[in-house]
Amino acid sequence: MKDSEEQLEQLSHVLMCFARGDFEARAHSVTDDQDNILDAMGVGINMLGESLASTTLRREQVERILSTLAEAVFVLSVDGVVQFANRGACALLGY
C-alpha cells in the first residue's frame, strides 16, 4: 500500500509540474513489479511530458520567427479574437 501511495504522490507531482509548464519532470518506478498499473501510468505520463516539451519548443520557434517579420502578422482564434500580433502588426495599428 505504501508503494502505491508513493507512486500516486509522484504521479501527482509530475502532473502538477506539467501544469506549470515544467515538462522536464519525470515519474520513476518505485517497485520491481512489471505489471504495476501505476508504473504503466508513469510511463504514459513521461511520454506525455516529452511530447509537450517538443510541441512547446516548436511553438516558441514559430513565435520567434513570426515576431521578427517586418510584415504585419495577426493570429486570430476561430471567434476572431487576436491571439498574436507581431511588431509589424503593432506598428501598423500605431501601438
Side-chain angles (χ1 to χ4, degrees), residues 32-52:
D32 294 328
D33 182 0
Q34 297 296 325
D35 296 323
N36 185 309
I37 188 70
L38 294 176
D39 281 343
M41 289 174 64
V43 170
I45 288 171
N46 289 343
M47 291 170 64
L48 173 65
E50 291 170 15
S51 179
L52 288 169

Side-chain angles (χ1 to χ4, degrees), residues 10-81:
Q10 185 184 143
L11 294 176
S12 177
H13 171 75
V14 171
L15 290 171
M16 292 302 293
C17 289
F18 290 176
R20 289 191 309 269
D22 173 10
F23 305 124
E24 300 304 315
R26 294 292 179 265
H28 303 285
S29 176
V30 294
T31 70
D32 294 328
D33 182 0
Q34 297 296 325
D35 296 323
N36 185 309
I37 188 70
L38 294 176
D39 281 343
M41 289 174 64
V43 170
I45 288 171
N46 289 343
M47 291 170 64
L48 173 65
E50 291 170 15
S51 179
L52 288 169
S54 175
T55 300
T56 301
L57 180 61
R58 284 193 301 267
R59 179 179 178 183
E60 289 170 353
Q61 290 170 332
V62 169
E63 285 180 0
R64 275 196 301 267
I65 291 167
L66 294 176
S67 293
T68 60
L69 291 175
E71 294 83 10
V73 176
F74 295 92
V75 176
L76 307 176
S77 69
V78 294
D79 300 330
V81 176

